[in-house]
Amino acid sequence: MCIRVQYAPTASLRLWDKSRQLITLPLDLPPANSAIAVRAVLTELAVPQPQFGAVCFCGEVVETLPRIPQQRRSGQVTHHGA
């Protein structure tokens, strides 16, 4: 796969980094909207998209879910440990 997806705070957001072939999405974006956002960026880059999912320039599916989930930061975890 040529294009990767990462999540970052909104302040440091740069949607498309051509040199790294990286799409950056906001950390607080709901997972259901991640595929829509990735498809929108790829459409702007003139990459034809199928009816469902998102595909790279090379035709492979672009993974929109982070491989390592965000750490839990609820009050219970920070006060009682997990």
Side-chain angles (χ1 to χ4, degrees):
M1 171 179 33
C2 305
I3 296 177
R4 295 174 298 119
V5 176
Q6 80 172 9
Y7 294 82
T10 307
S12 65
L13 198 61
R14 182 175 172 195
L15 286 178
W16 172 243
D17 183 349
K18 183 178 179 178
S19 65
R20 296 171 45 201
Q21 293 194 349
L22 183 69
I23 296 174
T24 306
L25 300 177
L27 280 172
D28 57 351
L29 186 68
N33 294 344
S34 295
I36 295 169
V38 169
R39 286 174 58 89
V41 172
L42 292 170
T43 300
E44 287 293 317
L45 296 172
V47 179
Q49 296 298 301
Q51 185 174 2
F52 300 105
V55 295
C56 179
F57 296 109
C58 66
E60 284 192 45
V61 175
V62 177
E63 296 291 330
T64 58
L65 297 175
R67 299 210 183 254
I68 301 172
Q70 292 297 317
Q71 201 173 24
R72 291 184 60 189
R73 295 187 179 136
S74 71
Q76 183 178 5
V77 172
T78 56
H79 296 295
H80 300 290

